[in-house]
Amino acid sequence: MNILVTGGCGFIGSNFIRFCLDDPQFKQSTLINLDKLTYAGNPANLADKETSEQYYFVQADIADIDTVSKILTEHEIDLIINFAAESHVDRSIDSPEPFFQTNTIGTLRLLETTLHYWKTLSSSKKDQFRFLHVSTDEVYGTLQKGDPPFTEKTPFAPNSPYSASKASSDHLVRAYFHTYGLPVVTTNCSNNYGPYQFPEKLIPLMILNSLEGKPLPIYGDGQNIRDWLYVKDHCKAIWLVAKKGNIGETYNIGGKCERTNLQIVYMICDTLDRKSPTESGKSYKDQIQFVKDRPGHDFRYAIDCRKIKETLDWTPEETFESGIEKTIDWYLSHLDWCKDITENNYQRQRLGIS
Ligand code: NAD
Ligand code: TDX
């Protein structure tokens, strides 16, 4: 199978490529990683895989019709997994437009290019072909305590520019199935955590700020709830949906692991107090600071993942306790990776230095 992964230099995309290259069932597969390398795309995430004969990297935008078209034809692509996106809610609040350029227009162009290619395939190749769109639980909006978790039938109610742009991409994917018959599947997943996550998201930010002696900024009262899933469990679910999911359908993916943000930060501090204690002997919890809330901050996300469990036999392998241990160990043993991002790429972007 020849697989085109978009956004493969980001957090989940690089974990997905790693998951494939490390698994013998993909031995005959070719993986093409198309990534624009925005501030969030880091080729270092896959540096040790660059010599693999199964793996090719192309720096390009998903909206670049000519480049995508060439890749699809030359590599006879059978499966596209679309991870490419602007993905950080806070950035979407500061500057919404790039989110619609990539998440909406980019996905539209990728679908259009894919449709043209798909139409040229033989009928058996056409049947086997899949376009898997990776999306988020945030398209469903927010829950209150006691509300039932989101199912695949929950109406969309996005609240941030990020989730609005992802919701629009989900609608486009659906429309290309219903209008043109393009064989698509969509996954809507809850919050991921694990190795290679860019340190502007809650978990890596809290780990790195702790170690650097910086404040741990908690928005509002820290009582907002997210449903956390270890990234490798997400990758396994994506692969199952690509292989066995019903075309035109959506699959919710979640960790059944609801925690308040304050619980998460306490757990990180407790783990770091044990694994890498401060010189002063004080707990990292002393660095917690409650700061102004995120505008329009969704209160709670929770995923009902019975469909993927019952139809595709997927279940997460990591508990939050085992996943966070692995994640913290990974960051502690990859401080150079973190330093490079915080001192170079990330900082330069933030300061507007190209
Ligand atoms: P990320 O921000 O870490 O990575 C995104 C990648 O896409 C980067 O490598 C970036 O360079 C690339 N990219 C951005 N715009 C592009 C463009 N126009 N063309 C080509 N490449 C482009 O994001 P992530 O956390 O890995 O998320 C991946 C996908 O999963 C996104 O679609 C996101 O909406 C979805 N998702 C993320 C989470 C999560 O918790 N991180 C949860 C559910 C769903
Ligand atoms: O400094 C912080 N302090 C804080 O309290 C940051 C960065 C976050 N938070 C809170 C906001 C959220 O309630 O922590 C929670 C998690 O925040 P993020 O890591 O920014 O994630 P979230 O906004 O929940 O969105 C994530 O999950 C769904 C991903 O970034 C999305 O790409 C994915 O679709």
Side-chain angles (χ1 to χ4, degrees), residues 96-317:
E97 205 166 310
F99 287 72
F100 290 86
Q101 281 303 339
T102 283
N103 301 359
T104 309
I105 302 294
T107 303
L108 173 64
R109 288 204 175 173
L110 184 62
L111 283 164
E112 191 57 21
T113 313
T114 305
L115 181 64
H116 278 277
Y117 165 73
W118 179 72
K119 281 182 177 167
T120 67
L121 298 177
S122 66
S123 60
S124 71
K125 280 261 180 196
K126 258 191 187 134
D127 288 347
Q128 284 161 20
F129 184 87
R130 292 289 179 276
F131 181 105
L132 189 149
H133 180 59
V134 180
S135 192
T136 169
D137 58 357
E138 300 197 14
V139 297
Y140 299 121
T142 184
L143 297 168
Q144 292 309 310
K145 267 192 186 141
D147 286 347
F150 303 128
T151 73
E152 288 80 0
K153 294 197 167 75
T154 302
F156 279 18
N159 289 320
S160 72
Y162 164 69
S163 53
S165 69
K166 288 298 288 187
S168 68
S169 68
D170 291 18
H171 288 318
L172 286 167
V173 171
R174 177 189 160 89
Y176 269 68
F177 170 70
H178 281 273
T179 307
Y180 307 110
L182 189 70
V184 304
V185 270
T186 297
T187 54
N188 293 91
C189 189
S190 60
N191 286 58
N192 283 217
Y193 67 100
Y196 300 102
Q197 187 165 30
F198 197 83
E200 64 185 352
K201 304 282 172 78
L202 180 74
I203 289 182
L205 182 81
M206 294 298 159
I207 298 172
L208 296 187
N209 278 14
S210 294
L211 296 173
E212 288 171 15
K214 291 182 183 164
L216 308 180
I218 298 193
Y219 299 160
D221 59 7
Q223 292 309 307
N224 299 62
I225 295 166
R226 298 291 181 265
D227 174 359
W228 293 94
L229 180 68
Y230 190 66
V231 63
K232 195 164 183 187
D233 281 324
H234 187 191
C235 294
K236 289 177 188 164
I238 287 171
W239 176 240
L240 266 182
V241 174
K243 238 182 4 179
K244 297 187 186 158
N246 286 332
I247 57 169
E249 295 194 9
T250 69
Y251 291 82
N252 281 357
I253 306 170
K256 279 206 159 181
C257 172
E258 290 183 53
R259 298 279 191 282
T260 66
N261 294 336
L262 201 54
Q263 283 175 321
I264 298 287
V265 177
Y266 275 1
M267 193 152 171
I268 292 170
C269 291
D270 286 339
T271 311
L272 284 174
D273 285 343
R274 188 160 41 81
K275 289 180 184 280
S276 182
T278 59
E279 277 177 22
S280 66
K282 285 185 178 169
S283 169
Y284 289 105
K285 283 182 195 150
D286 290 357
Q287 291 166 227
I288 290 176
Q289 279 184 15
F290 291 91
V291 299
K292 195 164 162 273
D293 209 354
R294 171 185 279 175
H297 196 174
D298 282 340
F299 175 66
R300 173 179 166 233
Y301 305 139
I303 278 275
D304 180 336
C305 52
R306 271 177 298 178
K307 177 176 174 181
I308 187 168
K309 215 167 233 179
E310 286 164 13
T311 61
L312 303 182
D313 198 24
W314 173 86
T315 185
E317 283 170 28

Side-chain angles (χ1 to χ4, degrees), residues 7-13 34-42 60-63 82-87 102 134-137 162 166 189-192 197-198 201 234:
C9 290
F11 163 48
I12 308 175
L34 178 141
D35 196 299
K36 185 180 169 182
L37 297 185
T38 67
Y39 77 94
N42 186 354
D61 193 314
I62 52 168
N82 184 31
F83 291 97
E86 290 292 339
S87 73
T102 283
V134 180
S135 192
T136 169
D137 58 357
Y162 164 69
K166 288 298 288 187
C189 189
S190 60
N191 286 58
N192 283 217
Q197 187 165 30
F198 197 83
K201 304 282 172 78
H234 187 191

